[in-house]
Amino acid sequence: MPSTKTLPLVKDSERLESRLKEIPAVPGVYLMRDESDRILYIGKSKKLRNRVRSYFRESQNLSPRIAMMVQQVREIEFIATDTEAEALALEANLVKQHQPYFNVLLKDDKKYPYLCITWSEEYPRIFITRKRRAGSAKDRYYGPYVDTGALRSTLHLIKRIFPLRQRPQPLFKDRPCLNYDIGRCVGVCQGLTSPEEYRKIIQKVAMIFQGRTQELLDLLAPQMEQAAEDLNFETAARIRDQIKGLQSLSAGQKVSLPDDTVSRDAIALAADSQHACVQLFQIRAGQLVGRLGFMAEIPSQLRAGTGAPPLQSGGEELSQLSLSFPPGQGREGGGVEAGAILQRVLEEHYQNVESVEIPSEISVQYELPEGEILADWLSNRKGRKVTILTPQRQTKAELIEMVERNAEYELARMQRLSDRNSQAMEDLAEILDLPEVPRRIEGYDISHIQGSDAVASRVVFIDGLPANQHYRHYKIKNPEIKSGHSDDFASLAEVIGRRFRGLKEEERGKMEEGFSELEEPEELSNLSSVSHTISDKPDLIMIDGGKGQLSAVVAVLREMNLLEELRVVSLAKQREEIFLPGESLPLPTNSEQPGVQLLRRVRDEAHRFAVSFHRDRRSERMKRSRLDEIPGLGHHRQKQLLAHFRSIDYLRLATPEELAEVSGIGPRLAQQIYDYFHP
């Protein structure tokens, strides 16, 4: 049968020319799609028609990766905007949403922490987190900070300077804790301060992380003087202590620059064959107030065999990165330079900051491919001119060199970690006689107390590092496993069956799809690769336990006809012994071997993850056990009561009137609850 598939645009000149004529010469965003309608690349331009046409000119010297992308383009979409700044903002949002393969993507590996202020809450909280959640738009994240220790020290000092809420939950129901008595807290738990007053305190803290410490000092000094004039010496002394604390916070952070009145950011990167490590220094009034870190993946097709130049830490080679960005913008006119990565980082960073945090000047290591658009967009947001420059000499160039040097140090640290993990995976492959290094390892464990609240965990390590986004919890559904009766063998068999049942069905679907598309008998030989295209198929399964646990898992995999495709081992706790299916004796290994240590890390993480989930379930059950005995009190109302009173102890002390204040609890049910606790 003749094929009805659409030809690539490079092979269909009529359709290409017709499509290019439809694209206007105005600012906007363009989207390249392949035959399966998947977005390959998202870009922006001042003139859409000229930019898109440049991809298909025969005279254009495209990088191998750009050429590879162009060969796959079946359709081009565009979105016109009024200004270049709007195109930049739209492109950033679309890249974040669709994550196209050929765009430079920042890597979120939970390596660097953020500081979060929850402005969406009545009394905002301040805490350090490694997960930037897309929750309320009002919440603010500052970072990511490279120096975790310095961030924690800063937050600890801030909690000593300002009277902030010190505990996540109230210690007492009817009175504040000792922190209130010594002036460390304003009694948030008991409502002793209004949300408006507390937000004013939090706003001062936010100014510190926005790099506006000097502005805050200038604000506090007249308040201290006014309090002294009014003979309010306690308030004046408190503000004096705050000023001293803020001054000590910024001591020793002076950076020698000729003009310490200009706020500026300095950004530079260092790269190897796999990652680009980016550092951004925030300098305000001549002081280094923040050091942020970002990671960008170097696409695998650039690592070997593409003709792309090698990536090095510093030097001219780095400036010639052949990443797939609009052609004709590098220093030598071929591909886009490392400035493309820097621009992507700056766009991502400034999308998530307030306008007061945008500096007046940005020093960059390499020229940005769309520097003018970025500068115009930042100027519009800030309300003042923002300058982007590439310093070549004197003090500002030395500042860029310092930032680049720090990026090289961080990259070297990552390389050492990567080398350690690579050595561990190679050693493990040798121990287990695997055909390839196990890039994806899954670990499983069971947790319970004599059968009660039985749960299981799955943890995933990719390239020797925990991949938290793939972790899963399992509640054991076997009705025979209950309090007083446990069966780890049956529990593991259940979990493995549930985990890989979907994999088997997906593989079967791939097989059927492969058969339906075959046109020539000789293509049957390609069918063996179908099963290897499943992205979440583990290279190794690690079971926490000995021969018994391993035998139970082997039995269920054999029943599912997956035993030949999935490699499974178990690791016994007592002597760190590795058992293979069908073998009665453990492998002769040393517990200090890199491969064995990697398995131990997987085992320990699976154990930790299972135990934490078991504790949560047990705690929740114990909270509900007494409430289940109250007539008319269902699951939803129990949750509302516990959310309001925090614990059963507080609930027991509540009066009927206080109980009736909870949403969904009327006076009648409130009296029943009170009578239950006061027979």
Side-chain angles (χ1 to χ4, degrees):
M1 293 179 63
S3 174
T4 59
K5 290 184 178 180
T6 306
L7 291 174
L9 287 176
V10 291
K11 297 182 180 179
D12 193 342
S13 57
E14 291 185 8
R15 193 164 67 91
L16 172 61
E17 192 59 35
S18 173
R19 189 65 181 130
L20 291 176
K21 289 180 180 179
E22 296 173 355
I23 301 176
V26 298
V29 173
Y30 56 93
L31 299 87
M32 306 283 199
R33 293 183 178 271
D34 64 5
E35 61 180 348
S36 60
D37 205 36
R38 181 184 57 183
I39 297 177
L40 296 172
Y41 179 75
I42 298 174
K44 61 183 176 299
S45 177
K46 292 182 179 180
K47 293 185 178 181
L48 282 171
R49 181 185 298 166
N50 296 355
R51 171 59 53 77
V52 175
R53 186 182 292 276
S54 67
Y55 285 95
F56 300 95
R57 291 195 185 111
E58 293 183 1
S59 59
Q60 185 68 51
N61 183 22
L62 300 176
S63 69
R65 185 169 167 79
I66 289 274
M68 182 183 300
M69 181 194 72
V70 171
Q71 293 294 326
Q72 301 178 43
V73 175
R74 256 68 170 185
E75 187 56 67
I76 303 172
E77 295 180 9
F78 67 89
I79 303 173
T81 60
D82 293 332
T83 64
E84 295 93 334
E86 290 180 4
L88 185 148
L90 178 59
E91 183 216 27
N93 290 332
L94 290 175
V95 168
K96 190 181 300 183
Q97 177 183 352
H98 296 287
Q99 299 281 298
Y101 177 77
F102 286 90
N103 282 85
V104 168
L105 302 176
L106 298 185
K107 182 181 180 183
D108 180 17
D109 61 351
K110 309 297 186 298
K111 200 167 77 69
Y112 301 128
Y114 294 86
L115 182 120
C116 178
I117 300 181
T118 58
W119 290 108
S120 59
E121 300 179 4
E122 185 179 26
Y123 290 95
R125 292 177 295 125
I126 304 176
F127 58 90
I128 296 173
T129 178
R130 292 181 186 269
K131 295 182 180 180
R132 184 168 184 160
R133 295 182 174 87
S136 173
K138 296 181 180 179
D139 295 344
R140 285 287 293 112
Y141 288 86
Y142 300 94
Y145 291 97
V146 177
D147 194 338
T148 307
L151 176 61
R152 296 187 184 279
S153 299
T154 300
L155 184 58
H156 178 72
L157 182 57
I158 286 173
K159 287 187 174 182
R160 295 176 65 90
I161 297 173
F162 296 97
L164 301 173
R165 178 168 58 180
Q166 303 288 332
R167 302 179 61 87
Q169 301 293 343
L171 188 61
F172 306 106
K173 176 174 168 46
D174 54 352
R175 62 184 177 88
C177 64
L178 184 62
N179 286 309
Y180 175 77
D181 298 322
I182 63 177
R184 293 282 182 84
C185 178
V186 288
V188 172
C189 61
Q190 303 302 322
L192 299 180
T193 185
S194 66
E196 293 75 19
E197 290 298 321
Y198 190 69
R199 282 173 173 265
K200 291 180 181 178
I201 300 174
I202 298 295
Q203 186 59 56
K204 294 177 182 177
V205 175
M207 292 176 69
I208 298 172
F209 291 97
Q210 291 169 354
R212 302 162 62 195
T213 307
Q214 186 58 48
E215 185 180 338
L216 179 57
L217 289 170
D218 296 340
L219 182 69
L220 291 175
Q223 293 181 6
M224 178 185 66
E225 294 172 0
Q226 184 62 46
E229 289 180 7
D230 296 340
L231 304 183
N232 192 349
F233 298 117
E234 289 186 4
T235 302
R238 185 175 67 251
I239 298 176
R240 178 204 61 198
D241 293 340
Q242 291 177 350
I243 291 174
K244 287 184 177 180
L246 290 172
Q247 290 173 341
S248 68
L249 189 63
S250 57
Q253 293 185 341
K254 196 75 174 175
V255 176
S256 178
L257 290 175
D259 184 3
D260 62 1
T261 63
V262 177
S263 63
R264 57 171 53 85
D265 284 354
I267 186 170
L269 63 78
D272 60 10
S273 61
Q274 298 182 6
H275 304 97
C277 179
V278 184
Q279 298 269 292
L280 189 148
F281 279 30
Q282 299 170 309
I283 300 165
R284 305 292 182 266
Q287 293 181 346
L288 177 63
V289 300
R291 182 165 71 103
L292 310 183
F294 305 86
M295 295 300 302
E297 289 277 12
I298 303 301
S300 58
Q301 294 174 3
L302 285 179
R303 298 175 190 170
T306 61
L311 305 176
Q312 297 182 5
S313 301
E316 280 302 308
E317 290 81 355
L318 187 57
S319 67
Q320 304 297 324
L321 288 179
S322 294
L323 298 176
S324 60
F325 277 76
Q329 292 186 15
R331 291 183 181 177
E332 304 299 329
V336 166
E337 56 191 14
I341 296 180
L342 299 181
Q343 170 136 357
R344 180 75 186 94
V345 170
L346 292 174
E347 291 172 359
E348 175 85 10
H349 172 63
Y350 292 124
Q351 279 268 326
N352 299 302
V353 304
E354 299 178 22
S355 58
V356 294
E357 300 175 55
I358 299 175
S360 301
E361 184 180 291
I362 303 172
S363 297
V364 297
Q365 181 186 21
Y366 299 103
E367 287 187 19
L368 306 184
E370 300 285 355
E372 293 181 10
I373 296 179
L374 179 60
D376 292 343
W377 175 66
L378 292 175
S379 299
N380 291 336
R381 282 202 62 198
K382 186 175 179 63
R384 294 173 53 190
K385 182 175 177 58
V386 175
T387 305
I388 300 178
L389 53 90
T390 309
Q392 301 295 332
R393 56 185 178 181
Q394 296 181 343
T395 310
K396 293 179 182 178
E398 293 174 359
L399 174 62
I400 287 294
E401 291 177 3
M402 181 181 70
V403 180
E404 181 182 359
R405 200 159 54 243
N406 279 270
E408 292 172 356
Y409 293 148
E410 185 66 15
L411 180 67
R413 192 179 70 84
M414 284 194 56
Q415 288 172 333
R416 287 194 297 271
L417 180 63
S418 177
D419 292 342
R420 188 193 73 173
N421 290 331
S422 298
Q423 181 184 359
M425 289 190 296
E426 291 173 1
D427 184 54
L428 185 58
E430 184 177 347
I431 292 172
L432 302 178
D433 194 23
L434 300 177
E436 297 179 349
V437 295
R439 305 191 68 88
R440 180 185 174 108
I441 304 175
E442 294 187 2
Y444 294 85
D445 192 18
I446 304 293
S447 182
H448 59 85
I449 294 181
Q450 295 183 348
S452 66
D453 305 304
V455 297
S457 68
R458 179 188 90 193
V459 300
V460 179
F461 277 51
I462 296 179
D463 291 336
L465 295 173
N468 307 66
Q469 68 272 24
H470 298 300
Y471 284 18
R472 293 293 181 271
H473 284 134
Y474 296 90
K475 297 178 182 178
I476 302 302
K477 298 180 179 179
N478 190 336
E480 296 182 0
I481 299 176
K482 53 190 175 181
S483 181
H485 183 271
S486 62
D487 191 338
D488 287 0
F489 302 162
S491 298
L492 280 169
E494 175 190 332
V495 170
I496 294 297
R498 287 162 59 184
R499 161 66 178 98
F500 294 106
R501 187 178 300 116
L503 184 67
K504 187 63 179 177
E505 292 171 357
E506 181 181 354
E507 182 178 318
R508 188 182 298 114
K510 293 276 186 181
M511 296 281 287
E512 292 172 355
E513 181 182 344
F515 275 114
S516 65
E517 293 181 355
L518 296 181
E519 297 180 2
E520 300 294 336
E522 55 267 23
E523 292 185 353
L524 285 170
S525 60
N526 296 329
L527 200 59
S528 61
S529 64
V530 172
S531 62
H532 298 288
T533 63
I534 302 173
S535 59
D536 64 345
K537 186 175 181 179
D539 300 311
L540 180 65
I541 302 169
M542 194 282 309
I543 304 299
D544 184 5
K547 291 185 291 184
Q549 286 86 346
L550 180 61
S551 298
V553 170
V554 167
V556 71
L557 290 177
R558 182 180 290 113
E559 183 180 339
M560 300 172 67
N561 295 322
L562 288 173
L563 187 58
E564 298 298 324
E565 300 178 31
L566 298 174
R567 191 65 185 267
V568 57
V569 300
S570 69
L571 182 64
K573 287 187 178 71
Q574 189 171 7
R575 298 181 181 176
E576 311 295 354
E577 296 174 327
I578 301 175
F579 289 92
L580 299 179
E583 300 291 338
S584 58
L585 297 176
L587 290 176
T589 58
N590 183 345
S591 61
E592 300 305 317
Q593 281 184 258
V596 179
Q597 288 183 336
L598 174 58
L599 276 187
R600 286 166 59 183
R601 290 199 297 272
V602 177
R603 190 269 315 280
D604 294 343
E605 180 69 356
H607 180 71
R608 180 200 65 80
F609 198 51
V611 169
S612 63
F613 184 46
H614 167 72
R615 286 173 178 164
D616 292 342
R617 287 203 68 200
R618 188 176 76 239
S619 176
E620 188 69 17
R621 176 179 57 80
M622 293 176 68
K623 284 181 181 178
R624 299 191 186 285
S625 60
R626 299 197 63 186
L627 298 181
D628 287 335
E629 300 174 6
I630 303 176
L633 195 60
H635 179 75
H636 180 65
R637 287 174 175 171
Q638 290 179 19
K639 286 180 63 178
Q640 290 177 310
L641 280 170
L642 290 171
H644 183 83
F645 290 101
R646 309 286 183 180
S647 74
I648 293 289
D649 293 333
Y650 289 166
L651 181 61
R652 185 190 300 111
L653 297 173
T655 64
E657 292 76 18
E658 292 173 334
L659 291 167
E661 293 176 359
V662 180
S663 176
I665 307 295
R668 189 173 180 179
L669 182 56
Q671 188 62 47
Q672 287 181 338
I673 298 171
Y674 182 82
D675 292 341
Y676 173 79
F677 287 110
H678 303 82

